[in-house]
Amino acid sequence: MSANNNQASSFNHKKYRAFAPIQKNDRRWPNLVIDHAPDWCSVDLRDGNQALIEPMSPSQKLEMFKLLVDVGFKEIEVGFPAASAPDFDFVRQLIEEDHIPDDVTIQVLTQAREPLIARSFEALKGAKKAIVHLYNSTSTVQREQVFKKSRDEIKGIAIQGAEWVKEMAAQQPETQWLFQYSPESFTGTEMDYALEVCDAVINVWQPTPDRKVIINLPATVEVSTPNVYADQIEWINDNISHRDSVRISLHTHNDRGCGVAAAELGVLAGADRIEGTLLGNGERTGNMDIVTMAMNIYSQGIDPELILSDMDRIISTVERCTQLAVHPRHAYAGELVFAAFSGSHQDAINKCMSIDAEKRKDDPDAHWEVAYLPIDPRDLGRNYQQVIRINSQSGKGGVAYVLEQDYGIQMPRWMQVDFSPHIQAFAEQSEAEVGPKAIHEIFSNTYLNPNHAVNIESYQLNREGSVDTLEAKLQTQGQQVGLSGKGKGVLDAFVKGLSATIGHDIVLLDYNEHALPSTAGSENEQAVAMAYVQISIQGQRYCAASHCDDIVTASMQAVLNALSRSDVQVVNSAAISA
């Protein structure tokens, strides 16, 4: 048998069966539209963190928590304090160091086991408000194959857990307690049984309209099309007890790639609250992406009640804390989602944006109508820019090809986007073909030797564990300026020290490096490194580059060259407007 036949035989669809939908002839959700934002709960610090190859450090957790607060989350699941010492210590740090704003409620997760519940309440001691999130698995496969327990026995675990939560909360009356229950693997649980367990927990907690409980219905594993999940949610919504005293919450995963769709249809079906993560990090294929769902709502003219206008900061923080890169085509957030490669697309966008600019002069709230762009990139701190089409036959569009072939310069895509308008302006002004020498000269003047450049004079670097301490001296306008910084890596330490020196936060958005090929016949055989950076200062992006036989110097000088392209100057260790 051939290798191809062996592969075909191992790909056997017959070992799977279709998910059986519930019989529902009175569904109402298909005729509804989302007209307001749900309550949002971030689980970046718990569900997102547990999915990382290298979990967040305490400093990264705190940085992420502050970002979530600034974005506008009012409920944040901060950990599983009974599961690990780092999670317990982080919850204590948030409370003892008073990091939790009065309008933010932290949430912790616990299994329905007495020691774990007790440890969770110990972690929350002194909190002003807190949600205790209790869960146990109810699915058929978990009951029969993992726990080997009956339906009554599994329900008994949930009831006993709810009683322990209620008793321990009563022992700490100084905290305003909220209770949440999840029948884990809800989508794999028989609907009548899921309802029976949830009602039993509700009966223990005895909620009121003024003191509601949260019933979270997770698609722990996404097993069906989103419409089936919506049917499940609507059926629970119609049949659950004390509905006026219950907030129905959803926690969808992305195993079928439909996490956002399932959450949106679930809101149509009656859900009040959504759990998810920024940009979708989570177990397996990830959690529901709150950025995407919130921006979907925003694109329909509805306030998402989250502040996503500084997308560069969100992406930078998430990437730094999770060590996961955001895909360039990620909805709304990706580097390339507002770029057009097609000439006809570029032409249509430019014409529409020109018309939009005229409309907006008279009416700032004029409806957005631009071909190929569902939202205004400027709402996320972005700008529409044409992208260079790399082709040796395409004239101005072959800029990147020419620089690499003739000079060994391998511009990353984001620098190609930034560089294109410079070549376009030169071509229009000269009304002639732009040759390789001119392209290289424009590149050098723009990125390697910008006006008012600040230069590295010297630096000292010390490393203790994973922390780098940097002391550097800069030369600018005949003056010497010192800076110092600490960070995880040389560039992180340098950027932090430079931010403190100029008095403005610098966000390092992108970094690339490569070795330049040696020049034929050159006497200097020392390898030369080329570094490229893209930074953000006060919401504006600046690109630059530098080369040196020391990659550390090249990287830091590239950051300084990018800074020199901004309106911020380094003078006497202070920032002044140019």
Side-chain angles (χ1 to χ4, degrees):
M1 184 178 289
S2 69
N4 285 340
N5 286 336
N6 282 331
Q7 290 175 352
S9 65
S10 67
F11 194 71
N12 180 14
H13 67 278
K14 293 182 179 179
K15 66 182 178 182
Y16 303 104
R17 57 185 175 185
F19 186 83
I22 65 173
Q23 295 302 311
K24 196 172 193 304
N25 299 317
D26 61 344
R27 59 180 60 87
R28 302 176 304 281
W29 62 263
N31 297 320
L32 303 177
V33 295
I34 296 175
D35 58 10
H36 66 279
D39 299 334
W40 302 106
C41 177
S42 160
V43 295
D44 290 84
L45 290 165
R46 200 277 304 169
D47 205 351
N49 187 52
Q50 77 178 26
L52 299 176
I53 296 173
E54 183 179 335
M56 296 182 217
S57 66
S59 62
Q60 288 172 327
K61 284 184 179 180
L62 187 58
E63 181 180 11
M64 181 67 80
F65 179 80
K66 290 180 178 178
L67 172 68
L68 296 170
V69 169
D70 290 346
V71 167
F73 286 98
K74 302 306 178 186
E75 295 179 346
I76 302 172
E77 191 164 84
V78 294
F80 194 153
S84 71
D87 269 21
F88 184 94
D89 293 342
F90 178 63
V91 176
R92 294 309 309 154
Q93 180 186 7
L94 290 178
I95 295 169
E96 292 172 0
E97 296 180 4
D98 198 24
H99 290 295
I100 308 168
D102 290 341
D103 62 346
V104 172
T105 303
I106 60 172
Q107 174 174 307
V108 300
L109 183 71
T110 180
Q111 291 174 321
R113 295 166 53 191
E114 186 175 19
L116 302 185
I117 294 171
R119 183 69 168 163
S120 301
F121 275 94
E122 182 183 351
L124 290 168
K125 191 169 184 178
K128 296 176 183 176
K129 295 185 297 183
I131 299 170
V132 178
H133 181 184
L134 178 76
Y135 80 96
N136 69 304
S137 188
T138 59
S139 70
T140 309
V141 68
Q142 293 267 37
R143 293 196 316 266
E144 295 178 352
Q145 299 186 39
V146 180
F147 302 116
K148 300 186 184 304
K149 291 183 180 295
S150 67
R151 286 169 56 140
D152 284 344
E153 288 174 315
I154 293 295
K155 182 174 71 171
I157 292 172
I159 292 171
Q160 180 63 77
E163 290 173 346
W164 283 326
V165 166
K166 185 176 181 180
E167 291 167 5
M168 293 181 197
Q171 296 169 14
Q172 294 178 211
E174 67 279 5
T175 298
Q176 181 182 336
W177 296 108
L178 297 171
F179 302 150
Q180 174 171 331
Y181 174 70
S182 289
E184 190 197 9
S185 300
F186 162 77
T187 49
T189 305
E190 306 91 331
M191 285 298 98
D192 64 326
Y193 180 60
L195 179 67
E196 181 182 334
V197 175
C198 290
D199 279 348
V201 170
I202 292 170
N203 188 55
V204 172
W205 285 340
Q206 290 294 302
T208 67
D210 295 329
R211 189 176 59 86
K212 296 183 179 183
V213 298
I214 303 168
I215 296 297
N216 189 54
L217 304 174
T220 308
V221 178
E222 188 177 32
V223 294
S224 69
T225 50
N227 62 297
V228 173
Y229 182 67
D231 279 351
Q232 293 174 319
I233 301 307
E234 190 170 68
W235 189 87
I236 293 288
N237 182 66
D238 289 345
N239 291 281
I240 198 165
S241 65
H242 298 81
R243 182 61 183 93
D244 63 345
S245 302
V246 171
R247 293 166 69 198
I248 291 182
S249 176
L250 308 182
H251 182 121
T252 59
H253 279 253
N254 209 38
D255 299 271
R256 293 168 55 92
C258 302
V260 169
E264 290 182 331
L265 298 192
V267 168
L268 294 179
D272 308 298
R273 180 179 185 264
I274 294 293
E275 293 188 346
T277 60
L278 293 175
L279 304 172
N281 171 47
E283 297 282 8
R284 304 180 309 280
T285 55
N287 281 285
M288 204 286 300
D289 179 0
I290 288 181
V291 168
T292 298
M293 182 170 174
M295 288 306 303
N296 285 350
I297 291 172
Y298 178 75
S299 73
Q300 302 303 301
I302 300 164
D303 182 0
E305 299 180 13
L306 292 176
I307 303 168
L308 301 172
S309 53
D310 193 353
M311 192 58 71
D312 284 345
R313 180 197 172 197
I314 293 171
I315 293 171
S316 175
T317 302
V318 171
E319 288 187 330
R320 184 166 55 253
C321 292
T322 65
Q323 300 182 54
L324 296 173
V326 174
H327 195 281
R329 299 293 185 188
H330 191 109
Y332 300 105
E335 186 69 28
L336 297 180
V337 297
F338 299 120
F341 290 82
S342 162
S344 61
H345 287 202
Q346 293 171 351
D347 181 62
I349 291 171
N350 281 331
K351 289 176 179 176
C352 290
M353 290 193 73
S354 177
I355 294 171
D356 182 78
E358 289 299 317
K359 287 195 305 183
R360 222 155 286 284
K361 289 179 182 178
D362 299 324
D363 182 8
D365 296 326
H367 289 163
W368 176 255
E369 295 177 306
V370 174
Y372 303 110
L373 295 180
I375 68 163
D376 187 344
R378 292 168 292 195
D379 293 349
L380 300 179
R382 300 282 179 81
N383 290 305
Y384 166 71
Q385 298 180 32
Q386 291 183 347
V387 176
I388 295 173
R389 294 153 57 192
I390 302 174
N391 186 313
S392 61
Q393 303 300 315
S394 59
K396 296 188 290 293
V399 170
Y401 178 87
V402 169
L403 285 178
E404 181 170 1
Q405 293 298 307
D406 289 18
Y407 299 96
I409 295 171
Q410 301 169 18
M411 283 194 299
R413 175 71 65 185
W414 42 267
M415 184 169 275
Q416 295 172 23
V417 173
D418 189 81
F419 192 39
S420 179
H422 296 276
I423 298 299
Q424 182 72 26
F426 182 85
E428 292 175 353
Q429 184 178 9
S430 64
E431 297 182 350
E433 182 179 356
V434 185
K437 185 177 179 180
I439 291 173
H440 184 256
E441 183 176 349
I442 296 169
F443 177 87
S444 298
N445 292 339
T446 304
Y447 299 126
L448 299 176
N449 305 300
N451 292 330
H452 312 298
V454 183
N455 297 302
I456 289 283
E457 184 174 290
S458 63
Y459 72 89
Q460 288 185 331
L461 181 66
N462 294 304
R463 174 166 291 176
E464 293 182 10
S466 62
V467 177
D468 289 292
T469 301
L470 179 75
E471 302 286 337
K473 292 181 181 179
L474 313 179
Q475 193 65 235
T476 174
Q477 299 182 22
Q479 301 179 28
Q480 190 179 81
V481 176
L483 68 80
S484 61
K486 292 185 178 181
K488 194 171 183 180
V490 173
L491 208 50
D492 185 39
F494 182 69
V495 168
K496 287 178 179 176
L498 188 59
S499 297
T501 299
I502 67 174
H504 294 286
D505 286 338
I506 298 174
V507 177
L508 180 64
L509 300 177
D510 295 289
Y511 172 83
N512 285 70
E513 66 180 61
H514 66 83
L516 285 172
S518 57
T519 304
S522 172
E523 297 180 359
N524 181 13
E525 296 183 359
Q526 177 74 38
V528 175
M530 190 79 168
Y532 310 85
V533 300
Q534 181 174 209
I535 65 174
S536 175
I537 306 176
Q538 296 178 304
Q540 296 296 312
R541 293 183 172 196
Y542 304 95
C543 297
S546 183
H547 53 72
C548 183
D549 55 12
D550 172 16
I551 185 57
V552 174
T553 299
S555 302
M556 293 190 291
Q557 187 60 54
V559 173
L560 291 175
N561 288 348
L563 176 66
S564 299
R565 296 187 64 209
S566 74
D567 293 329
V568 176
Q569 296 182 7
V570 181
V571 178
N572 292 328
S573 300
I576 65 171
S577 296

